Amino acid sequence: MNLKNIFLVVTLIFISYNSLFASPIQIELNKEWKFKQGRLNNWYPATVPGVVHTDLIDNKIIEDPFFRLNERGLQWIDKEDWIYETTFDLSKDILNKNNIEILFKGLDTYADIYLNDEKILATDNMFRQWAVDIKGKVKSKENILRVYFHSPIKVDMPKWDALPFQYEATNDQSENGGLFNKKLSVFARKAGYHYGWDWGPRLVTSGIWRPVVINAWSDARINNVQVIQKAVTAKEAKIKTIIEVFSDREMANAILQVSDNDAKKVLGSIKADLNKGLNKVEVDFAISNPKLWWSNNLGKPHMYNFNTEVISESRVVDNQIEKIGVRSLKVVSEKDKYGRSFYFELNGVPVFAKGANYIPCDNFLPRVTKDIYKKTVLDAVNANMNMLRVWGGGIYEDDYFYDLCDEYGILVWQDFMFACSIYPAEGKLLENIRLEAIDNVRRLRNHPSIAIWCGNNECQDAWFNWRWKDRHEKENQAHADKIWEQFQDQYYKVLPKVVEEHGSGIAYTPSSPFADYGVGSNDHEGDRHYWDVWHGKKPIADYNKERSRFFSEYGFQSFPEFESVKIYAPEKEDWNITSEVMMAHQRGGDHANKLIESYLLNEYYTPKDFESFLYIGQILQGDAIKTAIEAHRRDMGYCMGTLFWQHNDCWPVASWASRDYYGRWKAQHYFTRKAYEDILVSPIEKDGVLDVVIVSDRLKNTNGTLTVKVFELDGKEINSQTQKITLKANSSNKSFSKKLDELTNGADKSNIVIHAEFVADKVYSNNYFLAKQKDINFPEVTISSKVESVDGGFAVTLTANEYARGVFMSIDGIDNFFEDNYFDILPGKSVTTKVATALSLSDFQKQFKIQSLADMR
Ligand code: BMA
């Protein structure tokens, strides 16, 4: 037999093996797409998944919408209709199957779909999936699939014009789109932030934003496997699975079984007679001594691989492998002597939630690659977070995002996609919302990371506390009543019912923040969004006074660093925070810039130039959020969570984000990583007494030594006290308390720093000043550096002769990462950190810049 023949035999064996186990086939229609503007004739190549804006960029019809002022010239795009089309062939294997369906995983938003000139579907919700039976409508060659997107503006405008009163949508920037006060976002089941936000541009997309696939099968196909974790302890996990199987014929004595694919062990199995159509079969089983799924820092987020199979006549008709984390997870929201608690309990342990609010990573969603998702989630993991809140003005995220959260132990607070608005939730729209909720609750329910479903972001608080209720009642009581009725239907009836029926026991809360039914948020019940520092202009120190059972939002703005600004605002004339370009990338407007400026002047000082402004602004933001996080953690027990606003940006902008659009960590993200460590050492002065509170998230007591030192900024030691302590597990410990006068020997507050250090198996430390930063006499410090080549970059050792505050290292470009940055160096001490970069040593040394706070005056 020659080589060619061997190949043939091998191929034949493979083919016959395949057809013997002929399982469902899935193909993705992602090739040969073209698109055009509805009323014009010229077609251009298109990318699917994609959106109109990115296709226009790729075809060089428009320029980068994020560059300088380009967004403004692109407002015509959402007022046009767009057509996408592809031609595809289907193999015999597919055509021979008894069932062929086309599945659209995401269409944005108002689309009519034609297959070989026949209209097969009309859609009106970007968050839903749409499946259509196309058996008999397809042929082997040249099938034409056409998707006609109607302008969301043209579709929704008449709805707004017909209203007897106006619905609310605070962040909808309709005037920037030339629509004046017409807040059309309230009608479209489309990501709210597309219409603009106080950190985002107004770029209203259309497009096939998630994959289009064809599924073909004969006999039977697993449609869904629901894994319900009925009771989970360290000893045993009782699990119920509900397997949904589509069968195209009666199938007697089918075996449905679930196995542990890694241990190659059948967990549960049942014999069932399948009927033609949709079947739901329950398979129950128990796992003894299960390996539990834990959140980041508390333990390993172990994932089992469950293999669900449908077997008929000794043949596997279909199977589905899914990663499953076994855990018990609930929200404890109980009346107590303070009000009502709000915390997450994982595997029986109360977990203090440490994290951030998450928005979509881009205005053009399909260009969020797997790498970007991975970096975004890993940046949370590496900052010691254990929770992200997927906020309601964005999207129900991609499956991959939740896979990553599962894999790395990030709990997900999942909002339904409603934010800062009041929606006309009745009739067809309410039913559309219900179906959207079912689609997404079913899609996400098996992820161990999903910790709570939340009705909306701030809609209830806005109704009661932003004077919406008063205003509507004053205008017309009947309209106000109608709004509240629609509100209750949506968030107190429809959505909780979907979560109850389909959510596998995941908790639901009607809104964030939420105290109680029909109440605005407060500090002693439920979760709270605290914005008095920042929006309310209160001093940063107020973070130390304010309490909550769970802070689900608070935040402080900054600009991206200079290297990032230069990408979107490269002209010298842009380099002023009030320049037209910088203002176009500051969606909080002049008000927000003035806030940064006034906090800087009150607490820091006037930066000497634009670049210094960006830098000090970041230190200011970092210090502010560090203050808040520490206060919330010190209050552990009463408070059980802190999620700052916000983890990421969707375009380059001045915002509350701790990482900029390009993924670069701002000072805040580095500060957060430290403030979120499993053990936090937090000095705090009140009424002339200095306490050092040590907070431990560890599940076991920790023995160690605490040293509290006071020294002058030139290094002279004033006081040093050391004591051995045992930290109580999972609690906040006041470990040191001393009158300030005794501790500092009456030294000048502008000249000293307190350094507290807890040494156990690791060293945890913190520096604390007794005066505002502008009143501290930071010395003109000399920082020397030593650079050594290491794998993937350089190790940099910096040494300071006196106290160096906020030492910031930078090099050009964005393909680099400083393992640590913006840190303080104690007098005479050194810090070594790594820089990941592809630069040569000499190029690195040419570009390498070190600055500290003292240089910025
Ligand atoms: C919060 C969020 C967003 C907003 C942010 C900053 O309350 O829910 O709506 O972007 O404040 O203002």
Side-chain angles (χ1 to χ4, degrees):
M1 209 188 290
N2 64 24
L3 259 185
K4 209 166 146 192
N5 285 344
I6 293 177
F7 177 73
L8 197 69
V9 171
V10 171
T11 317
L12 282 176
I13 293 171
F14 182 72
I15 290 170
S16 57
Y17 174 87
N18 252 344
S19 49
L20 185 68
F21 293 95
S23 39
I25 303 177
Q26 185 174 79
I27 57 162
E28 190 174 331
L29 297 182
N30 54 7
K31 293 198 184 75
E32 312 290 334
W33 283 92
K34 55 183 185 175
F35 84 116
K36 74 179 191 82
Q37 202 166 321
R39 58 196 170 85
L40 302 180
N41 291 325
N42 25 351
W43 290 95
Y44 295 92
T47 304
V48 168
V51 290
V52 171
H53 291 74
T54 41
D55 283 327
L56 291 170
I57 297 169
D58 292 346
N59 285 283
K60 305 204 168 15
I61 297 167
I62 62 168
E63 288 187 49
D64 176 8
F66 293 174
F67 186 72
R68 300 192 82 229
L69 303 172
N70 285 352
E71 172 207 356
R72 292 183 188 168
L74 303 176
Q75 297 303 317
W76 58 275
I77 298 171
D78 59 43
K79 284 135 201 119
E80 294 290 331
D81 294 355
W82 297 93
I83 304 174
Y84 278 74
E85 193 178 288
T86 188
T87 305
F88 64 93
D89 298 343
L90 289 179
S91 67
K92 254 206 203 125
D93 276 357
I94 292 179
L95 288 168
N96 287 343
K97 297 282 184 197
N98 295 341
N99 309 278
I100 310 175
E101 93 176 5
I102 189 163
L103 174 69
F104 298 91
K105 293 193 172 177
L107 294 172
D108 173 15
T109 288
Y110 298 114
D112 291 327
I113 293 99
Y114 301 84
L115 180 60
N116 297 329
D117 283 335
E118 182 191 337
K119 183 167 172 183
I120 56 165
L121 177 70
T123 70
D124 56 2
N125 189 330
M126 84 176 263
F127 304 123
R128 282 171 62 188
Q129 304 206 6
W130 311 85
V132 186
D133 176 6
I134 53 168
K135 177 80 185 171
K137 295 186 201 302
V138 273
K139 47 195 183 180
S140 62
K141 295 264 172 250
E142 310 237 322
N143 294 285
I144 299 179
L145 179 65
R146 177 178 271 227
V147 183
Y148 187 107
F149 289 102
H150 296 272
S151 146
I153 303 307
K154 287 200 299 199
V155 171
D156 288 330
M157 187 76 87
K159 299 181 195 163
W160 182 272
D161 291 340
L163 284 175
F165 58 90
Q166 296 196 348
Y167 284 87
E168 305 284 348
T170 329
N171 288 283
D172 185 324
Q173 295 167 13
S174 33
E175 36 333 317
N176 291 335
L179 301 171
F180 309 101
N181 205 22
K182 300 191 175 178
K183 309 213 162 185
L184 305 184
S185 58
V186 300
F187 301 106
R189 291 314 301 141
K190 176 170 170 55
Y193 81 110
H194 285 168
Y195 296 81
W197 215 267
D198 55 4
W199 35 258
R202 184 186 181 283
L203 290 163
V204 185
T205 55
S206 284
I208 305 171
W209 74 290
R210 278 181 171 160
V212 185
V213 295
I214 288 186
N215 288 313
W217 77 98
S218 290
D219 304 334
R221 182 177 75 118
I222 297 174
N223 183 51
N224 191 276
V225 180
Q226 180 180 12
V227 179
I228 302 172
Q229 310 199 11
K230 289 193 298 188
V232 175
T233 64
K235 277 212 176 107
E236 192 186 51
K238 286 199 179 112
I239 291 173
K240 168 161 109 181
T241 56
I242 302 173
I243 305 168
E244 283 181 17
V245 184
F246 274 128
S247 185
D248 59 17
R249 60 183 168 85
E250 291 192 352
M251 218 181 259
N253 285 324
I255 297 171
L256 286 93
Q257 74 179 29
V258 182
S259 15
D260 175 341
N261 212 35
D262 303 313
K264 298 276 173 261
K265 185 178 155 203
V266 175
L267 297 167
S269 164
I270 203 166
K271 239 188 209 161
D273 295 334
L274 297 181
N275 298 317
K276 192 172 169 182
L278 179 65
N279 300 267
K280 282 191 185 183
V281 183
E282 235 181 83
V283 177
D284 285 16
F285 53 87
I287 304 177
S288 40
N289 305 315
K291 288 186 189 151
L292 298 177
W293 183 92
W294 285 98
S295 60
N296 187 28
N297 269 334
L298 286 189
K300 277 206 182 119
H302 181 81
M303 299 289 284
Y304 286 87
N305 279 297
F306 280 10
N307 184 16
T308 307
E309 291 165 297
V310 180
I311 302 165
S312 172
E313 291 158 15
S314 309
R315 183 169 78 89
V316 177
V317 185
D318 194 11
N319 80 314
Q320 187 177 299
I321 297 178
E322 197 175 0
K323 286 195 146 82
I324 299 291
V326 172
R327 58 32 175 166
S328 75
L329 180 55
K330 62 179 184 184
V331 174
V332 182
S333 165
E334 282 165 1
K335 283 215 158 25
D336 60 17
K337 62 177 174 195
Y338 310 109
R340 183 191 296 275
S341 69
F342 188 93
Y343 66 89
F344 294 87
E345 194 187 280
L346 177 65
N347 300 324
V349 175
V351 176
F352 190 100
K354 297 177 290 189
N357 285 271
Y358 169 93
I359 64 168
C361 293
D362 205 300
N363 261 82
F364 310 123
L365 292 158
R367 70 179 184 189
V368 184
T369 58
K370 284 200 162 184
D371 283 350
I372 295 174
Y373 274 121
K374 190 152 190 183
K375 176 168 169 28
T376 307
V377 173
L378 278 179
D379 281 355
V381 174
N382 292 329
N384 297 310
M385 296 187 193
N386 59 17
M387 180 174 275
L388 287 173
R389 169 170 175 245
V390 179
W391 161 85
I395 57 163
Y396 307 92
E397 264 301 341
D398 195 89
D399 292 335
Y400 186 59
F401 170 85
Y402 302 98
D403 290 345
L404 290 165
C405 291
D406 293 348
E407 185 181 343
Y408 293 104
I410 296 293
L411 295 160
V412 175
W413 173 310
Q414 180 67 49
D415 282 1
F416 283 101
M417 291 304 125
F418 306 95
C420 306
S421 303
I422 294 284
Y423 303 84
E426 60 181 6
K428 261 169 82 180
L429 183 64
L430 186 60
E431 177 59 7
N432 197 351
I433 288 169
R434 191 180 74 85
L435 296 172
E436 159 192 329
I438 293 176
D439 263 19
N440 288 286
V441 170
R442 276 170 62 94
R443 180 167 69 90
L444 304 183
R445 63 190 172 191
N446 286 353
H447 290 277
S449 54
I450 296 284
I452 190 168
W453 281 96
C454 169
N456 63 66
N457 172 73
E458 295 184 343
C459 301
Q460 173 160 323
D461 201 38
W463 181 246
F464 290 106
N465 287 341
W466 301 2
R467 287 198 290 276
W468 290 1
K469 178 172 179 274
D470 294 350
R471 198 168 60 234
H472 282 273
E473 279 180 347
K474 224 180 251 160
E475 273 171 22
N476 185 320
Q477 186 64 43
H479 292 162
D481 291 347
K482 179 171 176 174
I483 289 176
W484 182 239
E485 202 176 297
Q486 288 174 336
F487 190 98
Q488 291 174 85
D489 285 347
Q490 186 175 352
Y491 305 114
Y492 287 101
K493 291 181 189 153
V494 170
L495 294 178
K497 190 153 181 255
V498 169
V499 176
E500 195 190 322
E501 285 176 0
H502 302 274
S504 304
I506 295 164
Y508 173 83
T509 185
S511 186
S512 179
F514 181 76
D516 212 337
Y517 173 78
V519 187
S521 83
N522 62 45
D523 59 3
H524 53 278
E525 296 170 291
D527 68 315
R528 180 178 187 197
H529 294 187
Y530 175 70
W531 284 102
D532 284 355
V533 177
W534 184 259
H535 286 305
K537 302 180 187 167
K538 290 273 172 64
I540 291 168
D542 276 21
Y543 282 131
N544 291 320
K545 294 201 288 214
E546 291 297 329
R547 301 184 83 187
S548 163
R549 312 311 297 270
F550 192 108
F551 284 97
S552 41
E553 270 189 27
Y554 57 93
F556 203 100
Q557 268 207 7
S558 75
F559 290 89
E561 69 165 82
F562 195 42
E563 282 304 318
S564 291
V565 167
K566 281 192 282 186
I567 301 171
Y568 66 93
E571 306 294 336
K572 275 224 165 75
E573 66 187 74
D574 302 339
W575 296 347
N576 181 318
I577 60 158
T578 55
S579 72
E580 202 179 357
V581 170
M582 289 304 284
M583 286 307 292
H585 293 253
Q586 164 55 287
R587 305 313 274 246
D590 196 34
H591 162 76
N593 273 358
K594 293 230 165 74
L595 276 175
I596 300 185
E597 220 163 11
S598 71
Y599 277 107
L600 271 180
L601 296 181
N602 279 336
E603 318 227 355
Y604 292 71
Y605 35 73
T606 322
K608 63 176 190 236
D609 54 21
F610 178 64
E611 199 179 336
S612 315
F613 192 106
L614 304 181
Y615 159 85
I616 305 189
Q618 288 213 10
I619 298 283
L620 161 72
Q621 180 199 29
D623 283 349
I625 297 307
K626 171 181 187 279
T627 306
I629 291 173
E630 289 191 17
H632 303 163
R633 290 191 68 187
R634 284 195 306 270
D635 206 16
M636 182 182 197
Y638 183 88
C639 176
M640 281 303 282
T642 179
L643 310 177
F644 66 77
W645 183 268
Q646 75 212 65
H647 182 58
N648 55 335
D649 274 329
C650 65
W651 80 315
V653 66
S655 81
W656 299 266
S658 60
R659 303 154 58 256
D660 69 27
Y661 170 68
Y662 308 104
R664 204 179 239 134
W665 288 25
K666 291 181 175 177
Q668 188 196 320
H669 209 72
Y670 291 100
F671 291 12
T672 298
R673 175 175 63 189
K674 198 147 193 264
Y676 277 166
E677 281 187 313
D678 59 346
I679 290 179
L680 167 75
V681 179
S682 181
I684 179 80
E685 185 250 338
K686 202 179 162 205
D687 305 330
V689 175
L690 185 97
D691 292 339
V692 177
V693 179
I694 312 187
V695 184
S696 172
D697 290 341
R698 295 189 182 183
L699 301 182
K700 285 195 180 129
N701 291 354
T702 311
N703 295 321
T705 311
L706 172 69
T707 304
V708 181
K709 271 191 187 166
V710 183
F711 52 80
E712 289 181 356
L713 299 172
D714 63 5
K716 193 178 133 213
E717 192 172 296
I718 292 179
N719 201 340
S720 176
Q721 314 221 349
T722 299
Q723 67 192 66
K724 283 207 165 20
I725 46 177
T726 300
L727 285 186
K728 271 217 314 270
N730 211 17
S731 61
S732 173
N733 305 257
K734 197 207 267 186
S735 303
F736 178 95
S737 193
K738 194 139 203 104
K739 278 211 173 118
L740 209 54
D741 285 350
E742 289 170 26
L743 192 67
T744 62
N745 293 332
D748 179 1
K749 286 184 180 174
S750 62
N751 214 19
I752 54 171
V753 60
I754 294 174
H755 179 75
E757 193 171 271
F758 177 70
V759 183
D761 48 353
K762 263 173 79 181
V763 179
Y764 299 88
S765 69
N766 208 342
N767 302 320
Y768 187 76
F769 294 96
L770 298 165
K772 286 182 178 174
Q773 291 287 289
K774 70 171 179 185
D775 297 326
I776 305 285
N777 296 325
F778 286 112
E780 297 291 330
V781 58
T782 308
I783 303 171
S784 60
S785 66
K786 200 176 86 198
V787 181
E788 274 173 300
S789 295
V790 291
D791 224 19
F794 304 99
V796 182
T797 302
L798 303 182
T799 311
N801 61 337
E802 299 187 56
Y803 194 96
R805 174 80 235 271
V807 179
F808 170 50
M809 301 174 290
S810 63
I811 49 177
D812 302 349
I814 48 168
D815 292 327
N816 54 67
F817 178 71
F818 288 83
E819 205 175 70
D820 203 359
N821 216 343
Y822 302 94
F823 44 76
D824 294 4
I825 310 180
L826 306 188
K829 293 272 161 44
S830 299
V831 172
T832 302
T833 185
K834 269 198 220 138
V835 191
T837 169
L839 287 181
S840 69
L841 181 62
S842 67
D843 283 346
F844 179 79
Q845 269 163 336
K846 256 184 247 154
Q847 292 183 14
F848 186 52
K849 237 173 39 183
I850 313 166
Q851 299 164 80
S852 79
L853 196 62
D855 303 327
M856 303 293 163
R857 289 174 286 205

